[in-house]
Amino acid sequence: MSVPYYDPNEDPQDPGAPSAPEDPQPPRSFPDDTTLHWPDPAPRSAARPEETGTEYYPDHPASQPSYSGFDGSLEPEEVPRPPGGTAAAGNDRIRIALWGAPRSGKTSYLAAMPIAAMQQQRQGRPNWVISGMNPESNEFLTSGVTQLASDRVFPEATVGVRSLSWSFQGEETANASFRKRRDVGFVLEVQDVAGEVYGRDVEHALRPRVLDQLARSQGLIYLFDPLLDGEQSTNSFDFLYSMLNELNTRVRNAGRLHRNRLPHHVSVCVTKFDDPKVFRPAVEAGWVTQDSVGSRLPRVPAEQAARYFQWLCDEFRGSNARLVRDGLLNFFHPQRISYYVSSAIGFRLNPQHIFDYRNYLNVETVDHVPRIRTSPVPINVLEPLTELESRIRTAARRRRPW
């Protein structure tokens, strides 16, 4: 005889009530002659289930135990917790979209981020620890670091849309308001999207999904590749304006414009600073300084990055690049845009780990495959994100009534 049906939302059956009819179902069978042993049902009682412990009823699917991947010897896994150890509300997370033309280095940029985080202390900067909030995000971190640092190859470009969720634990740089560094933790939700989705093809199947992600994002990291911008198939403006126009329409119709412009905070990264076709003209034009300590790395000073981007658009690249610059300033508030001169792999360093202007190219071609010559030392990869998060958080505090 089958065990009586029990609905946990109803009171237990009266002992004097008629028993349930015989189970009309035939004995259960499973593929591949698998034998499952159901737990012996506890004795029926008039007491409520919470007073007698958990009971299993084979004929009630909602109360059957799951045997798929079940191992009673494993410790239960807890819900992933964000930095700080407490559950985070949706508005405690930041959503960042990564934007750029095809082959502008979006996937390499993300893969270089944990490498940059591990090198922060070496360069005397605040420490950051990055880890995934789910298995897929952890796999991306591990795979990306392995490919760049160990295999010395570039990750394959993203196909479609990839959603990543990372935990950041670090320190906020001291400033005028806070004389000491403060511990900071946040969860980043970033979208890695194939560059083709941003093109002029408004019928692209992924376009509505990407537009929705852009509209919900608080910040954007825009990668401007000064080399690929000169090629017709990867012209930056062709992968900017069409999507910007649709994004503005969507945000406007939702009533979310900020003083008649898009509300996003933006980090513009001018990429491939390590490439001689970009680096040498910047040196000759007087934009580059060099550290006097450590690895003596060259860089464009942070306070000059915006003017350097202007110079690239006006004199190095040309009319389409100027339209990229003008489009960004037209749709977003200029006060919410910051500029960075970046490289995902950095320069080749000599055996003493020092920059040498005679031999700094960090990419070579082996069997028709680009390979990284020495361990990457990313330049301005982490800063566009952590400073973007800080700006978003500061703006949110200013909107509070207290």
Side-chain angles (χ1 to χ4, degrees):
M1 178 181 293
S2 65
V3 179
Y5 171 83
Y6 171 68
D7 186 342
N9 297 313
E10 297 179 359
D11 288 333
Q13 198 176 39
D14 183 2
S19 60
E22 292 287 339
D23 186 354
Q25 299 292 331
R28 298 178 183 228
S29 61
F30 296 87
D32 303 325
D33 296 326
T34 303
T35 301
L36 298 182
H37 301 284
W38 298 99
D40 293 333
R44 295 292 292 152
S45 166
R48 301 183 70 87
E50 58 266 28
E51 297 173 358
T52 60
T54 303
E55 296 182 350
Y56 298 112
Y57 296 89
D59 292 331
H60 184 27
S63 60
Q64 292 175 6
S66 172
Y67 285 86
S68 176
F70 176 77
D71 187 347
S73 65
L74 297 178
E75 286 292 327
E77 184 174 354
E78 295 183 357
V79 174
R81 293 178 181 269
T86 59
N91 56 5
D92 292 331
R93 296 172 176 246
I94 65 167
R95 293 189 181 94
I96 303 294
L98 197 59
W99 194 333
R103 298 190 289 133
S104 59
K106 297 182 292 298
T107 303
S108 295
Y109 173 88
L110 289 175
M113 199 170 291
I115 298 177
M118 288 186 284
Q119 295 174 350
Q120 286 288 95
Q121 288 191 339
R122 179 201 301 178
Q123 300 170 6
R125 297 176 179 174
N127 186 62
W128 286 95
V129 177
I130 305 175
S131 57
M133 292 295 292
N134 53 51
E136 295 78 13
S137 299
N138 269 327
E139 168 60 25
F140 180 90
L141 290 171
T142 301
S143 174
V145 170
T146 300
Q147 288 176 303
L148 287 178
S150 299
D151 301 338
R152 306 281 176 85
V153 296
F154 292 93
E156 293 185 5
T158 297
V159 177
V161 180
R162 175 165 39 198
S163 297
L164 302 171
S165 182
W166 293 345
S167 163
F168 281 69
Q169 302 145 245
E171 300 170 318
E172 192 171 48
T173 305
N175 54 37
S177 302
F178 303 97
R179 296 184 179 180
K180 295 182 179 180
R181 292 178 175 175
R182 297 189 303 160
D183 291 340
V184 178
F186 61 92
V187 174
L188 167 71
E189 294 179 357
V190 64
Q191 314 299 330
D192 185 16
V193 180
E196 289 79 6
V197 180
Y198 293 110
R200 293 176 291 181
D201 180 10
V202 296
E203 301 299 325
H204 197 291
L206 292 174
R207 199 173 181 92
R209 176 180 171 185
V210 173
L211 268 171
D212 181 62
Q213 291 170 345
L214 289 173
R216 292 187 298 113
S217 295
Q218 298 129 298
L220 303 173
I221 296 178
Y222 178 73
L223 302 187
F224 176 80
D225 186 328
L227 294 181
L228 291 179
D229 179 69
E231 299 182 15
Q232 185 62 40
S233 61
T234 52
N235 182 299
S236 298
F237 187 68
D238 287 345
F239 296 90
L240 177 71
Y241 178 73
S242 176
M243 186 69 81
L244 261 181
N245 186 39
E246 291 186 55
L247 175 61
N248 186 76
T249 299
R250 178 171 293 207
V251 174
R252 181 203 64 205
N253 292 346
R256 293 183 51 242
L257 291 177
H258 178 65
R259 303 203 317 266
N260 288 328
R261 297 194 193 187
L262 289 169
H264 305 72
H265 294 263
V266 183
S267 288
V268 176
C269 296
V270 183
T271 64
K272 297 185 179 176
F273 181 54
D274 61 289
D275 193 294
K277 295 177 182 177
V278 176
F279 183 61
R280 289 184 66 90
V283 170
E284 293 167 0
W287 292 105
V288 179
T289 62
Q290 187 173 4
D291 295 343
S292 59
V293 296
S295 297
R296 303 178 192 171
L297 294 174
R299 65 184 74 251
V300 173
E303 62 273 14
Q304 296 293 330
R307 293 183 58 216
Y308 171 75
F309 179 62
Q310 297 269 7
W311 170 78
L312 273 177
C313 296
D314 286 333
E315 301 185 30
F316 183 77
R317 241 331 13 114
S319 59
N320 283 330
R322 287 195 289 271
L323 283 174
V324 171
R325 177 197 63 196
D326 296 342
L328 291 171
L329 294 172
N330 179 244
F331 281 89
F332 301 100
H333 288 280
Q335 300 86 350
R336 292 193 170 191
I337 304 177
S338 293
Y339 300 85
Y340 302 84
V341 182
S342 304
S343 169
I345 61 171
F347 297 97
R348 177 197 178 273
L349 303 179
N350 69 13
Q352 290 73 43
H353 207 66
I354 302 295
F355 173 86
D356 186 344
Y357 190 60
R358 294 168 297 186
N359 188 7
Y360 62 83
L361 179 61
N362 205 16
V363 179
E364 60 184 352
T365 302
V366 179
D367 297 330
H368 307 289
V369 177
R371 300 188 66 89
I372 304 167
R373 297 175 66 189
T374 61
S375 182
V377 182
I379 299 171
N380 276 337
V381 165
L382 191 62
E383 293 82 356
L385 173 67
T386 56
E387 293 175 12
L388 186 62
E389 186 277 336
S390 179
R391 286 187 279 143
I392 292 171
R393 181 161 32 88
T394 300
R397 280 201 298 260
R398 288 174 179 169
R399 288 196 297 269
R400 292 175 182 172
W402 36 267

